DNA sequence: TAGTGGTCTAGACCACGAG
DNA sequence: TCGTGGTCTAGACCACTAG
């Protein structure tokens, strides 16, 4: 998936960007309905008085963004939106807390280096047993616990993490930038707080919580699995997005 | 945000794609650390024996994907991942239910055409009062309620919705394809079921629920606001993603 | 000031696929 | 068959900015 740079009339001074926004405006306003055939490249070439490469650049971007479909010998056509895809920004918790105007504090609750258990391997999607680092942390907003973090780090992929105590720096920021990653997966769900989470977040057992789990891979190997638990009233994920995926 | 097409060795037969994947492989494997300067365009031109346009196409895509940063007069550099952005696919509920191997059933609970209340205007982000259609629906997976839907449709933007009863078709699929939309916003959070939601979902009041709210705009005007409530154990949002936003 | 990336041109050849 | 998009070339001028 990709997003279209602009839906407004004309944006960046470049010509291909102007062509792109002209066309996407037509589509998003509904003037060109799904199925409508877009002018051929050679027609747009005349219309804008430019070379075919310039037109092609704009149309290729629209195709990549999923707004149009291009077929050889037939032309380019407006696609109808099918599935919706949102770009969900996941920020560092410290930044999130400070954006709320609250003081941020980090606390490492527990740290254990161990040989991966069967459960660890399930969470990390590891094939074979190996050393892992298990961490438990709390993130505070003001005086109240904001998030509870339970993390596993695959020490085969990140051996230097085994030397770090994570007393003063949270594992998230530590890992970011230090470990290249190529892919990740999120799972977002609501749960009732179990006793452990309730204790960590200072809420009643059974109270609703938002759980965000993230699994990260780098260079084909699992790097880390983390589960953040937020009290229901403390946290909302927000995603802004544009058509088509 | 955009995603890189490929992280594997070489993919599509085209040369610029090969250059792109060669470089992104170097970055994602860690061979080129953040801050590393990428060969100049003219160097890559020699290395691959191609024109500058071809190299430029690959590097531009990498820059758009956020893997590298390009600075005039300095060169191109590997960026360190900063914020993380996930592409969250939002599918039609029917498809989601059927993907679980369960029978899908839709039920319209209530429908009311009315002049927008202050609360309606808040949800839709409407400036002035106007006619809205308020809908309440249930989506079933097998015999159990799967999702509870509360929707407002701005009839000023979609007048023809006022003539639709929504007895046989859910408002989501009805709107998609019929109404062009340019932007939307999601809010995802956990809540305790209130009496109304508990009744609709056949769960206990206070039980944790996942709430997904979506606001949609088309051509500058608010189109619809919808709130889906899922029982905690019935639903997980999944997002797969690649570096950088 | 000099070297980088940003953009554009006016051609070209090719693969694909509808007619 | 032959028009479409996909890709590429070998130049060019410009804007920006580090030194």
């Amino acid at each position: 998936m990709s997003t279209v740079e602009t839906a407004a009339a004309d944006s960046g001074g470049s010509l291909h960007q102007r062509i792109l926004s002209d066309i996407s405006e037509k589509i998003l306003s509904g003037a060109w309905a799904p199925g409508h055939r877009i002018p051929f490249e050679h027609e747009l070439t005349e219309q804008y008085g430019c070379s075919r490469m310039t037109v092609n650049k704009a149309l290729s971007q629209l195709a990549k963004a999923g707004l149009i479909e291009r077929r050889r010998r037939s032309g380019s056509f407006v696609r109808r939106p099918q599935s919706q895809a949102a770009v969900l920004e996941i920020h560092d918790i410290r930044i999130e807390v400070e954006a709320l105007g609250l003081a941020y504090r980090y606390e490492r609750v527990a740290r254990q280096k161990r040989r991966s258990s069967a459960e660890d391997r399930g969470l990390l999607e590891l094939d074979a047993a190996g050393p892992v680092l298990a961490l438990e942390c709390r993130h505070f907003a003001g005086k109240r616990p904001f998030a509870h973090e339970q993390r596993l780090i695959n020490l085969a992929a990140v051996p230097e993490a085994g030397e770090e105590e994570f007393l003063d720096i949270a594992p998230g920021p530590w890992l970011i930038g230090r470990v290249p990653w190529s892919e990740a997966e999120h799972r977002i769900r609501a749960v009732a707080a179990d006793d452990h989470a309730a204790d960590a977040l200072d809420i009643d057992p059974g109270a609703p919580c938002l759980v965000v789990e993230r699994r990260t891979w780098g260079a084909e190997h699992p790097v880390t699995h983390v589960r953040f638990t937020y009290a229901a009233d403390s946290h909302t994920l927000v995603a802004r997005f544009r058509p088509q995926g």
Side-chain angles (χ1 to χ4, degrees), chain A:
Chain A
M1 213 281 314
S2 178
T3 49
V4 183
E5 281 309 308
T6 167
D10 59 334
S11 59
S14 67
L15 182 50
H16 70 263
Q17 219 157 24
R18 197 189 119 86
I19 298 174
L20 187 152
S21 52
D22 281 357
I23 295 176
S24 76
E25 203 281 330
K26 287 264 202 317
I27 296 174
L28 295 177
S29 72
W32 288 353
H36 177 92
R37 190 181 60 69
I38 284 183
F40 296 125
E41 291 192 352
H42 69 83
E43 292 176 310
L44 290 168
T45 279
E46 284 179 28
Q47 185 177 324
Y48 286 93
C50 65
S51 79
R52 207 186 128 214
M53 273 294 286
T54 306
V55 166
N56 183 279
K57 191 165 187 173
L59 294 187
S60 299
Q61 282 190 41
L62 282 167
K64 240 184 89 178
L67 278 186
I68 67 173
E69 184 184 350
R70 313 198 73 190
R71 287 198 292 269
R72 286 175 149 103
R73 167 74 211 209
S74 311
S76 303
F77 301 85
V78 177
R79 280 183 49 162
R80 46 176 308 176
Q82 298 174 347
S83 79
Q84 305 180 329
V87 175
L88 180 63
E89 305 257 357
I90 308 269
H91 292 106
D92 191 63
I93 293 183
R94 151 174 251 126
I95 293 169
E96 208 173 327
V97 167
E98 289 172 349
L100 293 171
L102 296 169
Y104 173 80
R105 185 165 68 81
Y106 161 78
E107 174 188 281
R108 196 206 69 187
V109 177
R111 173 183 181 280
Q112 185 193 28
K113 223 191 290 193
R114 65 179 180 229
R115 208 156 156 284
S116 58
S117 68
E119 188 189 348
D120 295 343
R121 287 195 293 277
L123 291 173
L124 279 170
E125 287 196 348
L126 268 178
D127 295 327
V132 298
L133 184 67
L135 292 163
E136 188 181 339
C137 320
R138 293 205 291 173
H139 303 262
F140 289 79
K143 299 198 169 175
R144 294 183 50 199
F146 180 76
H148 181 223
E149 172 175 355
Q150 294 161 291
R151 187 183 287 266
L152 288 172
I153 299 176
N154 178 12
L155 289 177
V158 200
E160 62 270 36
E163 310 308 316
E164 175 65 45
E165 286 294 328
F166 295 106
L167 285 169
D168 298 316
I169 182 171
W174 188 90
L175 282 167
I176 285 198
R178 202 179 245 95
V179 182
W181 57 281
S182 56
E183 197 163 1
E185 181 193 85
H186 280 166
R187 292 180 176 274
I188 301 160
R189 56 187 214 273
V191 301
D194 58 24
D195 289 347
H196 188 66
D199 191 51
L201 290 172
D202 194 19
I203 57 177
D204 294 329
C209 295
L210 189 69
V211 170
V212 177
E213 278 181 296
R214 179 160 61 230
R215 232 197 293 262
T216 309
W217 290 264
E220 308 293 307
H221 297 297
V223 171
T224 187
H225 174 278
V226 61
R227 171 163 46 220
F228 292 104
T229 306
Y230 304 86
D233 54 356
S234 76
H235 193 59
T236 301
L237 293 173
V238 177
R240 280 211 161 243
F241 63 113
R242 295 241 163 122
Q244 239 308 305

